[in-house]
Amino acid sequence: MLNKYSISTSGPQKTTIALKQADLIILTRPTDEEIQQLCQTFNLNKFSFRYRSSPEEVSRFHRTTSDVLDNPFFLVVYDYISSFKHIEKQLVPSLIIFDSDHLIICTDSEDSCKNITNSNYSNLSEILFNYISQCQYKIMDVLVSYKKTN
């Protein structure tokens, strides 16, 4: 699912404006068509999203190319979905692309996205920092709980 948001002083507000004009774009379990639309709109390499739901994706951070975004970065972190039964499914990559005016998050974790969109974060930097922190804290909590049981 692809959702677009404008950022206001009261936080992210869902919007119907054109994809290019959205401040925050969240793709949750996106279809191939939604990925294609995103890549065409922002001139992004479709291959970057090939392993979007795969444990084979690796954490990384680097610049990426786009004629539409201004000097964008590509970041992959991991999130945790407790409702899945196997660890291979519980750890999911979150692909994040951002520049000074856009933040794009692509993930399978609906809960992490809801926490961000229901927040009152009023700028993209704040949203990005809190999203990454949220993902890392969930994984750390699980690792600590595993350690206690062994």
Side-chain angles (χ1 to χ4, degrees):
M1 175 179 289
L2 186 151
N3 289 301
K4 304 173 283 187
Y5 300 85
S6 292
I7 306 302
S8 71
T9 55
S10 59
Q13 306 297 314
K14 202 167 192 177
T15 184
T16 58
I17 62 175
L19 196 54
K20 267 187 201 176
Q21 276 66 51
D23 301 314
L24 172 64
I25 300 163
I26 297 181
L27 297 102
T28 310
R29 295 189 182 117
T31 64
D32 289 338
E33 291 78 20
E34 290 169 331
I35 293 296
Q36 181 69 27
Q37 178 186 5
L38 180 78
C39 291
Q40 284 179 343
T41 301
F42 291 104
N43 189 28
L44 297 168
N45 186 337
K46 191 176 172 186
F47 183 76
S48 298
F49 296 89
R50 183 174 185 168
Y51 299 107
R52 65 184 176 267
S53 295
S54 172
E56 281 81 32
E57 180 63 89
V58 295
S59 296
R60 54 196 158 112
F61 177 67
H62 57 82
R63 287 197 189 276
T64 192
T65 58
S66 169
D67 293 339
V68 178
L69 297 171
D70 182 28
N71 218 3
F73 286 92
F74 190 89
L75 171 67
V76 178
V77 296
Y78 270 82
D79 199 349
Y80 182 80
I81 302 176
S82 60
S83 60
F84 293 156
K85 291 183 181 185
H86 301 287
I87 190 70
E88 294 83 9
K89 298 285 185 190
Q90 291 173 324
L91 289 173
V92 296
S94 287
L95 287 63
I96 303 165
I97 298 171
F98 62 95
D99 69 3
S100 58
D101 297 319
H102 302 88
L103 174 58
I104 302 165
I105 299 172
C106 178
T107 184
D108 286 350
S109 178
E110 292 178 24
D111 290 341
S112 294
C113 294
K114 282 181 189 173
N115 290 340
I116 292 300
T117 58
N118 292 334
S119 72
N120 60 354
Y121 303 135
S122 59
N123 66 61
L124 293 178
S125 298
E126 193 175 33
I127 293 170
L128 176 59
F129 176 78
N130 283 285
Y131 179 77
I132 293 169
S133 295
Q134 173 184 243
C135 291
Q136 297 309 296
Y137 284 128
K138 285 182 359 185
I139 291 173
M140 287 305 297
D141 285 345
V142 169
L143 291 174
V144 168
S145 73
Y146 284 161
K147 187 172 183 176
K148 287 179 183 177
T149 61
N150 291 328

